[in-house]
Amino acid sequence: MAAQARMRSAKVLLINLGGLGTEIAKNLVLSGVGFLSLVDNHDVSEGDLSTQFFLSKDEIGTKRLDSAISRIQDMNPRVTLTVDTEDFRQKPDSFYGQFDLIIATDVSTEEAIRVNQLTRKFNVPFFLCGLNGLSGFIFVDLIRFDATDEKLKSSVKTPLGALSQNREVVEVTEYLNEEQSEVYERIVTRNAYKPFEQVLKEGTLKGKLTKRQVKRLTNAVPLTFALFSYRDGYAAVTRHDLEQRATDACVQLGLPSENLKQEYVEQFSQQAGLEFAPVSAVIGGTVAQDVINILGKKQSPLNNFIVLDGISLDMHIFEL
Amino acid sequence: MANASAVRLLGQENYERLRSSRVLLVGAGGIGCELLKNLVLMGFGEIHIVDLDIIDLSNLNRQFLFRQRDIKQAKATTAARAIEHVSNSKLVAHQANIMDVNQFPLAWFSQFSIFFNALDNLEARRYVNQMAQYLRKPLLESGTAGFDGYIQPIIPGATECFDCTTKETPKTFPVCTIRSTPSQPIHCIVWAKNFLFSQLFASSGSMSADEDLGTDNVEEIERIRQETNELHELQELIRSGDKTRIRDVFEKVFVKDIEKLLAIEELWKAREKPTPLYNFKFDEKINKNLNTVWTIQEQVNAFVLATEKLMQRLSSEKQIEFDKDDPDTLLFVAAAANIRASVFKLPLKSVFDIKQIAGGIIPAIATTNAIIAGLSSLASLRVLNLLKNQPKANPTELNMAFTAKASNMSNNRYLSNPQLGPPNPRCPVCSIARGVLTLSQNDLDTMRLSELVGAVQEKYSYSGEVSVLDKSTQRLLADFDFEDLLNKTLAEVKVARGTILLISDEQDSEESIRAPVELYIEQGEPEGINLPDIEVPLIKPAVVEPDETNSEEGVSMPGEIILDEDDKNPKKRHLDDASETPAKKALKTEEEHVVILD
């Protein structure tokens, strides 16, 4: 199978092996990705033991990667793993040019912007994901991606043209199925993406949601956005400051700020950047599933921003 | 050692509650392994894992707690051992069937705060749902099929139960049916594709001599070595590229392995024995028509031809994946499936038919299992009211979730998350008044069915005839025109601990009838017969339509009920049609022949 062969030759870089990185590594290794490079310079801390399952109690103080690597490899001896315990921030630009796909977890907004600039420079698909306690997010920048979906033709031919801000049908071919009894369509959808920095500056939901959707939209969306504005990490987050920034985020996104609920602001101010195993599993599973899909060049990929609200289990996909 | 992230999310007080909670995880397969990892990392105090299965080669690519050295070991105990290194939870593994009433009587279930279903079959799901209803304990139900998946919290009495809507879960086959006792052609196709083909051409999995086997037991090490050697013996033959060895592969698979199965006599007590393909020969006769069913000699020749081609390809391709559109792989699977079908005296199929069926086999997807298990464990916190900053939710404010984007149902939702519905008032399970009836061994041995029926009629004011159904086995024990068993003792009609009896009003009334009542038989030393004090209301009987397939009690039964006593007069009642539910949609697939391997 061509998709399998592409998977097996793909070189993927995963930045940071925290709870989320661990889930992604597990899923990619099980799926048989060809080459997985892990870069992480952290030592095993006590907190890691409640978010990660490749470490063990007696390994506190050793390098996370050194401890985890044999358990990761044990899941699938066929995957070629590369371990790098240097700080990814110290890597030269050229480092990022050697991969087919890069996934960043647990990085600050500033770091994400830099890595994304480099993935753009080297034309490499980029996934950014992170956790905020009961909530988690995924940002995707594939630069440009043509997806091919196949479906039974309905009474009208699928028209060419824009589907949404970032998606456009560019080619439709008809073909008969094996029994020669039904007409199918092979639809090529071109996905355009924007860099993270631009999405932070200009991304909006204005005109993209119905009134009802706006009303029911989870607070996790503007609050996740507000947390991005802490460029170098979450040390400065306070409840009051976060509320201010969430109000600003609502203005940019085109959401009514009066919908912000106190308990959500409270929750996000206390849980910014906090990892939690079940949320890691959902976000890590979603990222890995899409990475596998993209490496196999199959169906429409995620485009381009996803937020999970771990309380209501709301998980929308937004084009920003 | 406190779990820092859980404390911050739950607050100290709720975290203490989590630490002192005992939870039940039913199933240690694809979802179960993931769920166990999550529950352990979250810090639940005590986790019981129940699974009857042993680990099969085909599990390894997604059930991440299992390794090649664990093949043939119990899933439940292996999973618990594999996660122990990060666990602060007490883990209790049971290699057993959750429906075994002697090992797991109703009272055993009552020790848990919540049940997690991570099952692959409808029967066990229904059973645990029923236990949840008896004990009024919350249940987190979940399931996956390929890229589709769902989770559904069930709060007995307050939300829809598993049986409130008709379920249409795809077929699944137990591993032993595939590996040892096929009874349909599709079992042979699954074997050829997912076992034989993947073992010979798709996996490399080399095992070095000094690999840690996780045991010091000499006998055990020897057994694992032998198992592993057998596994790789065939691979070695294939990878040698020596075409004269195809004869050895053929003989191993279709003669020696079948002889080994024949040696396990208990497998064949109620089944027709397979016949090994002795005296096989290879010749040149090749049939090229993919739409006809070939002779066995043509199948054998096709097997040899396909194997030769694939062996050739292995020298340049590291491994080969099955693809129904790759003619070599398809021919191999079709021929192997048909030869096996012939050995087991099952009908053969054309290559074209096998292509359709093999293409419709949905593989389990590791990432779907991971996502669904994550959602299940996450949802449990709200069900158990353990989240900080969150007011206690009304049960119907809780959400279920099912895959939307991956299931091609939505472009802008990764998940759909409707709120839970209220119980279906016509649900065959949760709408029924229920209670526990404790009987002594003496009661069971001496009490006649008619006495029990009389007591029930009196206690719950059934004014006329009632029917009695043993729900555990779907046997009808008595109704207005079936009284043969009334004079037998309870023991004689096989009523024992764990039997669930459904008693329904058979009165022919248009005004009102008594609602049905369900009794779980527990064994103990009670004084006299104490039927549970439950309210059994009068209800309006359902309009009986001329169509005989409609149920008679005003509630529908899950599945068919077949009258016992040699099935002389099969009396069947059918499922009601229920509206399409998200969970049903999530599990619905386009293909007709659907097999989920798990």
Side-chain angles (χ1 to χ4, degrees):
Chain A
M1 204 185 287
Q4 286 282 345
R6 277 197 293 269
M7 263 304 278
R8 278 199 303 276
S9 63
K11 294 191 178 67
V12 175
L13 171 66
L14 176 59
I15 298 174
N16 283 332
L17 195 74
L20 191 46
T22 297
E23 282 287 340
I24 294 170
K26 174 202 71 189
N27 295 333
L28 292 181
V29 167
L30 283 179
S31 75
V33 67
F35 303 86
L36 180 63
S37 289
L38 301 159
V39 53
D40 183 298
N41 68 337
H42 299 84
D43 292 337
V44 179
S45 71
E46 201 172 302
D48 287 331
L49 297 178
S50 56
T51 56
Q52 296 180 52
F53 45 88
F54 290 135
L55 306 176
S56 89
K57 296 165 205 165
D58 50 13
E59 288 160 342
I60 290 178
T62 60
K63 287 272 176 235
R64 281 205 301 216
L65 268 188
D66 291 339
S67 307
I69 196 70
S70 63
R71 293 193 185 95
I72 297 175
Q73 185 77 72
D74 197 28
M75 285 191 302
N76 187 348
R78 276 184 280 165
V79 174
T80 307
L81 292 174
T82 314
V83 173
D84 192 333
T85 54
E86 277 181 44
D87 187 341
F88 77 95
R89 290 169 296 194
Q90 310 296 321
K91 294 285 175 190
D93 291 1
S94 61
F95 172 77
Y96 296 92
Q98 52 183 318
F99 302 101
D100 299 313
L101 191 142
I102 294 177
I103 306 163
T105 68
D106 298 341
V107 301
S108 71
T109 301
E110 210 55 62
E111 291 156 2
I113 289 172
R114 178 191 170 228
V115 174
N116 190 196
Q117 280 164 352
L118 293 168
T119 59
R120 281 258 159 180
K121 178 177 169 190
F122 294 111
N123 198 27
V124 178
F126 174 63
F127 283 75
L128 168 71
C129 50
L131 303 181
N132 294 307
L134 291 173
S135 179
F137 70 88
I138 303 167
F139 167 80
V140 185
D141 178 17
L142 305 183
I143 303 165
R144 194 174 102 168
F145 188 92
D146 285 351
T148 306
D149 295 277
E150 295 179 355
K151 73 171 184 84
L152 190 63
K153 191 189 169 194
S154 62
S155 51
V156 252
K157 192 178 159 158
T158 301
L160 297 179
L163 292 171
S164 57
Q165 176 189 294
N166 299 350
R167 300 169 64 239
E168 180 189 4
V169 175
V170 292
E171 193 185 315
V172 179
T173 35
E174 291 182 6
Y175 64 99
L176 285 167
N177 67 347
E178 271 151 11
E179 297 86 19
Q180 311 286 309
S181 56
E182 285 167 319
V183 182
Y184 276 72
E185 289 183 330
R186 193 172 286 119
I187 301 163
V188 180
T189 309
R190 179 155 299 164
N191 284 263
Y193 290 84
K194 289 179 189 160
F196 189 51
E197 193 172 16
Q198 189 185 345
V199 166
L200 290 185
K201 245 182 240 158
E202 304 166 4
T204 182
L205 294 168
K206 279 175 203 148
K208 294 174 190 166
L209 302 176
T210 63
K211 260 191 184 157
R212 189 178 139 88
Q213 284 172 325
V214 168
K215 196 172 157 227
R216 294 164 60 120
L217 187 69
T218 165
N219 279 192
V221 176
L223 282 161
T224 300
F225 231 73
L227 284 175
F228 287 142
S229 70
Y230 296 88
R231 292 258 167 161
D232 296 311
Y234 303 127
V237 176
T238 63
R239 185 191 158 141
H240 179 73
D241 188 52
L242 181 65
E243 191 167 2
Q244 284 297 314
R245 293 182 192 224
T247 308
D248 295 343
C250 283
V251 172
Q252 181 186 334
L253 293 168
L255 302 171
S257 58
E258 60 272 20
N259 285 5
L260 282 175
K261 292 193 201 84
Q262 286 309 311
E263 67 253 33
Y264 266 83
V265 178
E266 176 88 33
Q267 179 201 319
F268 269 75
S269 69
Q270 290 172 5
Q271 300 173 4
L274 182 65
E275 295 202 311
F276 188 47
V279 184
S280 294
V282 178
I283 297 292
T286 305
V287 168
Q289 193 165 88
D290 211 48
V291 166
I292 295 163
N293 176 42
I294 285 160
L295 293 175
K297 295 219 193 297
K298 287 179 284 188
Q299 285 142 15
S300 284
L302 298 176
N303 187 348
N304 59 351
F305 187 61
I306 288 151
V307 175
L308 166 71
D309 174 343
I311 296 167
S312 67
L313 309 183
D314 183 290
M315 197 170 173
H316 266 86
I317 306 167
F318 305 102
E319 288 185 20
L320 289 177
Chain B
M1 185 166 35
N3 177 330
S5 56
V7 173
R8 270 170 73 186
L9 286 165
L10 311 182
Q12 191 63 43
E13 194 182 321
N14 285 341
Y15 179 69
E16 299 301 330
R17 280 177 55 208
L18 177 90
R19 292 295 299 154
S20 59
S21 299
R22 191 180 286 153
V23 303
L24 171 62
L25 169 58
V26 192
I31 300 177
C33 279
E34 292 283 339
L35 202 42
L36 175 61
K37 173 248 310 166
N38 297 343
L39 299 177
V40 161
L41 290 175
M42 288 159 81
F44 277 99
E46 184 170 330
I47 305 163
H48 286 237
I49 310 120
V50 179
D51 197 316
L52 179 62
D53 269 1
I54 56 169
I55 295 158
D56 184 74
L57 174 70
S58 62
N59 301 142
L60 301 186
N61 68 348
R62 62 187 182 281
Q63 299 178 12
F64 79 104
L65 294 176
F66 305 146
R67 304 287 172 268
Q68 193 142 23
R69 57 181 174 267
D70 301 322
I71 288 173
K72 293 266 163 81
Q73 304 293 308
K75 283 188 175 178
T77 42
T78 307
R81 206 174 52 228
I83 199 69
E84 220 163 40
H85 66 103
V86 285
S87 171
N88 283 313
S89 310
K90 182 176 174 198
L91 301 177
V92 186
H94 307 266
Q95 187 196 357
N97 184 343
I98 192 65
M99 298 185 285
D100 180 339
V101 294
N102 292 314
Q103 193 163 357
F104 308 122
L106 188 63
W108 179 83
F109 285 86
S110 66
Q111 63 182 310
F112 303 107
S113 342
I114 188 167
F115 312 147
F116 290 90
N117 266 355
L119 286 158
D120 60 0
N121 72 85
L122 216 47
E123 196 188 4
R125 280 188 166 104
R126 289 208 156 108
Y127 185 82
V128 179
N129 179 52
Q130 203 157 215
M131 295 302 106
Q133 293 293 330
Y134 270 102
L135 297 166
R136 303 248 146 185
K137 297 271 185 185
L139 162 65
L140 251 153
E141 163 59 25
S142 62
T144 63
F147 290 102
D148 302 330
Y150 72 93
I151 65 126
Q152 179 190 5
I154 294 169
I155 319 295
T159 72
E160 273 187 343
C161 86
F162 183 72
D163 274 314
C164 278
T165 54
T166 337
K167 291 297 187 291
E168 190 181 306
T169 34
K171 282 182 230 165
T172 63
F173 299 126
V175 169
C176 61
T177 305
I178 302 300
R179 298 282 290 269
S180 310
T181 56
S183 58
Q184 294 170 25
I186 187 163
H187 299 152
C188 299
I189 298 168
V190 173
W191 170 85
K193 173 179 176 252
N194 295 70
F195 179 67
L196 186 65
F197 183 90
S198 61
Q199 181 181 324
L200 294 185
F201 304 106
S203 73
S204 67
S206 65
M207 189 163 169
S208 60
D210 57 352
E211 190 174 349
D212 176 17
L213 296 175
T215 173
D216 294 328
N217 181 325
V218 179
E219 241 176 276
E220 184 64 3
I221 290 175
E222 186 48 42
R223 194 195 61 76
I224 296 172
R225 291 251 181 265
Q226 196 187 339
E227 185 79 31
T228 314
N229 287 344
E230 289 208 3
L231 244 151
H232 293 296
E233 195 179 322
L234 287 176
Q235 267 185 18
E236 292 305 316
L237 290 179
I238 290 292
R239 283 173 191 273
S240 69
D242 179 354
K243 288 173 186 164
T244 62
R245 307 301 299 272
I246 295 177
R247 174 168 289 277
D248 299 332
V249 175
F250 194 96
E251 182 162 24
K252 165 95 173 76
V253 174
F254 298 111
V255 181
K256 288 185 189 158
D257 283 353
I258 305 297
E259 285 174 339
K260 271 191 214 159
L261 284 178
L262 280 169
I264 310 171
E265 282 174 15
E266 63 185 56
L267 284 179
W268 314 110
K269 277 184 186 152
R271 292 189 183 90
E272 188 170 4
K273 289 182 180 176
T275 308
L277 197 61
Y278 295 118
N279 306 321
F280 62 88
K281 60 182 189 340
F282 300 156
D283 62 32
E284 303 296 313
K285 194 169 178 308
I286 294 291
N287 191 331
K288 297 215 157 149
N289 186 339
L290 303 186
N291 286 306
T292 58
V293 177
W294 303 340
T295 64
I296 187 69
Q297 185 59 51
E298 286 166 348
Q299 307 283 0
V300 171
N301 294 338
F303 179 90
V304 174
L305 180 70
T307 310
E308 280 178 0
K309 284 190 175 171
L310 291 166
M311 278 168 91
Q312 181 79 41
R313 281 171 55 178
L314 269 184
S315 58
S316 56
E317 303 170 44
K318 244 166 80 187
Q319 53 185 16
I320 303 167
E321 305 287 338
F322 174 82
D323 181 345
K324 68 180 169 54
D325 297 316
D326 175 337
D328 300 338
T329 66
L330 176 65
L331 187 63
F332 178 90
V333 165
N338 277 328
I339 298 167
R340 184 169 172 89
S342 142
V343 164
F344 283 89
K345 306 181 175 72
L346 302 169
L348 309 196
K349 300 232 166 222
S350 73
V351 175
F352 187 79
D353 283 347
I354 288 177
K355 178 176 182 174
Q356 300 302 308
I357 298 169
I361 297 175
I362 300 177
I365 306 282
T367 46
T368 313
N369 287 336
I371 293 166
I372 290 302
L375 292 168
S376 174
S377 48
L378 194 51
S380 73
L381 293 174
R382 217 168 151 218
V383 169
L384 294 171
N385 194 28
L386 288 174
L387 289 178
K388 196 168 75 171
N389 302 336
Q390 281 294 316
K392 185 175 166 65
N394 195 331
T396 49
E397 288 167 5
L398 298 171
N399 305 78
M400 65 177 296
F402 60 97
T403 51
K405 163 94 166 76
S407 306
N408 292 322
M409 289 172 62
S410 172
N411 271 323
N412 56 20
R413 279 168 170 269
Y414 198 79
L415 299 174
S416 284
N417 60 328
Q419 291 186 324
L420 301 179
N424 173 2
R426 299 175 74 81
C427 172
V429 174
C430 70
S431 74
I432 295 176
R434 49 166 42 83
V436 178
L437 171 62
T438 307
L439 296 172
S440 67
Q441 188 61 53
N442 188 49
D443 292 334
L444 291 169
D445 288 338
T446 59
M447 187 192 279
R448 293 183 195 285
L449 184 58
S450 57
E451 293 173 62
L452 177 64
V453 170
V456 168
Q457 281 171 313
E458 192 186 320
K459 171 91 180 173
Y460 305 117
S461 316
Y462 286 98
S463 49
E465 301 271 5
V466 294
S467 68
V468 182
L469 181 83
D470 176 348
K471 277 189 88 173
S472 346
T473 55
Q474 301 287 68
R475 283 177 313 145
L476 188 68
L477 300 181
D479 77 359
F480 65 94
D481 64 355
F482 178 65
E483 301 177 339
D484 311 20
L485 303 179
L486 281 173
N487 274 327
K488 303 208 176 210
T489 66
L490 294 180
E492 282 169 338
V493 295
K494 299 193 186 82
V495 171
R497 160 185 257 184
T499 301
I500 296 172
L501 296 176
L502 175 71
I503 294 107
S504 310
D505 198 341
E506 292 281 295
Q507 209 185 165
D508 193 11
S509 160
E510 284 171 20
E511 297 303 311
S512 67
I513 58 168
R514 191 63 62 184
V517 63
E518 208 180 274
L519 297 172
Y520 182 99
I521 306 299
E522 184 54 278
Q523 205 175 328
E525 292 301 329
E527 289 184 19
I529 298 171
N530 295 307
L531 284 163
D533 293 320
I534 40 182
E535 199 182 318
V536 185
L538 284 169
I539 53 172
K540 227 177 129 55
V543 182
V544 179
E545 288 172 24
D547 186 347
E548 273 205 329
T549 57
N550 255 11
S551 68
E552 294 169 15
E553 296 88 351
V555 285
S556 59
M557 292 299 138
E560 295 179 336
I561 298 157
I562 297 170
L563 187 72
D564 202 21
E565 299 298 285
D566 302 326
D567 295 339
K568 276 175 205 151
N569 170 27
K571 179 174 177 176
K572 296 185 179 183
R573 301 170 197 186
H574 291 272
L575 292 167
D576 249 5
D577 272 329
S579 60
E580 184 113 318
T581 65
K584 187 170 155 188
K585 274 188 207 155
L587 286 182
K588 206 166 168 182
T589 45
E590 289 165 23
E591 303 282 342
E592 217 193 329
H593 298 285
V594 169
V595 185
I596 313 301
L597 286 169
D598 200 30

